[in-house]
Amino acid sequence: MKKTLKIFITIFLIFSGFIIFSVISTLIILAIVAIASPNYVNGYYAEAKINYGVLLSKPSKFDEIYSYEFGEGEDFYIFNYDKSVDIKKIIKENKFQKITENNLEEITKVLNIYRNDLCEKELNIFDKTTTIEELAKIGNYYLYPTDMNMEDDNHYSIQIIFPEKKKVYYFAINH
């Protein structure tokens, strides 16, 4: 009987140790991932990276103007950055282009395509929040997919950076 009890206790301790080791290992791995990649954990800005390959730093504050949960819809976020975030680094890493006289017409057209894709509710909110003229201001920076016909495609994003204001306007369509 004592021998059976010793075997049972030994098996129990080994099994318990394995479970405790597994739980601690998992927690350590999750902590390392969270520390190593803070720009991808718990944030709407992560959607830009996951869905569109745009690497935005974690904003100090963001405004969700409108968004869709799952399925089809439109997104509009304004990401606000404090002095610790280098907007120039975001521009360079993602190859944002400066809005100039030479590309102003093209950018205005792209933004109007997005605006025309909005349903009535989001269109009203968009128009109360910003204008195409404000977004397509010379000196701002833009990024959007140039390898697709946005008038025919139903899944794309546009980002506009206001470098002086340290803001990124993020727009997405998923229909």
Side-chain angles (χ1 to χ4, degrees):
M1 183 83 162
K2 283 186 173 184
K3 189 173 188 176
T4 306
L5 185 59
K6 283 184 177 181
I7 292 172
F8 176 75
I9 291 173
T10 303
I11 292 172
F12 176 77
L13 290 174
I14 291 171
F15 184 70
S16 298
F18 177 74
I19 290 174
I20 291 170
F21 175 76
S22 297
V23 169
I24 291 172
S25 298
T26 302
L27 291 174
I28 290 171
I29 290 170
L30 289 173
I32 290 170
V33 168
I35 291 168
S37 58
N39 289 340
Y40 305 116
V41 181
N42 294 330
Y44 291 100
Y45 54 94
E47 180 182 326
K49 176 63 177 168
I50 293 167
N51 291 333
Y52 305 105
V54 178
L55 181 61
L56 299 175
S57 298
K58 183 178 180 178
S60 55
K61 178 183 164 226
F62 78 93
D63 298 311
E64 179 180 311
I65 309 304
Y66 49 78
S67 70
Y68 66 94
E69 293 288 324
F70 295 101
E72 296 183 357
E74 298 86 18
D75 283 337
F76 178 9
Y77 301 110
I78 301 174
F79 300 120
N80 300 280
Y81 294 95
D82 60 21
K83 293 177 182 174
S84 67
V85 173
D86 187 2
I87 288 289
K88 291 178 184 175
K89 182 178 177 186
I90 294 173
I91 291 168
K92 184 178 179 182
E93 286 179 352
N94 293 287
K95 299 180 181 163
F96 275 80
Q97 301 296 312
K98 192 171 193 173
I99 298 175
T100 65
E101 296 257 349
N102 294 335
N103 60 22
L104 183 61
E105 187 176 327
E106 175 189 346
I107 304 310
T108 302
K109 178 183 174 190
V110 166
L111 290 167
N112 275 309
I113 291 170
Y114 172 82
R115 186 179 176 280
N116 292 336
D117 277 345
L118 296 174
C119 68
E120 188 174 339
K121 178 182 171 188
E122 279 81 13
L123 180 60
N124 289 333
I125 296 169
F126 179 92
D127 288 343
K128 289 177 183 175
T129 307
T130 191
T131 64
I132 299 296
E133 293 75 23
E134 178 187 22
L135 295 169
K137 182 181 168 196
I138 293 175
N140 288 344
Y141 288 79
Y142 70 92
L143 184 66
Y144 68 89
T146 56
D147 60 343
M148 68 172 57
N149 182 347
M150 293 171 68
E151 293 179 37
D152 296 332
D153 202 310
N154 57 4
H155 185 76
Y156 62 85
S157 73
I158 304 167
Q159 291 82 38
I160 302 290
I161 292 183
F162 292 77
E164 295 83 28
K165 296 179 182 179
K166 297 185 81 80
K167 292 184 177 197
V168 176
Y169 279 48
Y170 170 84
F171 306 97
I173 291 280
N174 185 26
H175 291 164

